[in-house]
């Protein structure tokens, strides 16, 4: 699944492909925003962790990645 994270005072958003479930990502974001943790910690498909301080979160968008069509053919 694709996760986009907006960070305050950063010109670009963080985009990562995560193998975590939608429910798990929602739970982690909720815990971070409720003050239970100081960092939002997500893991991408390659095993790398992304850590974002909760006081800098602007938004989190969770969704399926869009499939890009390449080449020529009939639509």
């Amino acid at each position: 699944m694709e996760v986009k994270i907006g960070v305050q005072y950063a010109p670009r958003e963080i985009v990562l492909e995560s193998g975590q479930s939608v429910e798990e990502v929602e739970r982690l974001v909720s815990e971070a925003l409720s003050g239970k943790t100081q960092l939002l910690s997500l893991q991408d498909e390659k095993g790398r962790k992304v850590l974002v301080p909760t006081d800098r979160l602007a938004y989190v968008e969770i969704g399926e990645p869009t499939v890009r069509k390449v080449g020529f053919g009939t639509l």
Side-chain angles (χ1 to χ4, degrees), residues 2-74:
E2 183 177 75
V3 180
K4 293 181 182 180
I5 304 170
V7 182
Q8 293 178 5
Y9 312 114
R12 294 178 16 177
E13 62 192 6
I14 299 170
V15 180
L16 64 117
E17 294 291 328
S18 178
Q20 295 170 299
S21 68
V22 173
E23 293 81 17
E24 186 177 1
V25 173
E26 284 182 25
R27 181 183 55 79
L28 292 170
V29 171
S30 294
E31 288 176 0
L33 293 176
S34 68
K36 291 182 181 179
T37 61
Q38 297 290 322
L39 293 171
L40 172 62
S41 174
L42 299 175
Q43 189 170 2
D44 71 0
E45 289 182 337
K46 296 180 181 179
R48 296 177 294 194
K49 282 197 171 192
V50 175
L51 303 171
V52 181
T54 56
D55 62 340
R56 297 289 185 233
L57 283 176
Y59 64 90
V60 178
E61 184 179 314
I62 305 168
E64 294 297 321
T66 57
V67 179
R68 297 183 182 141
K69 297 181 180 180
V70 178
F72 299 96
T74 59

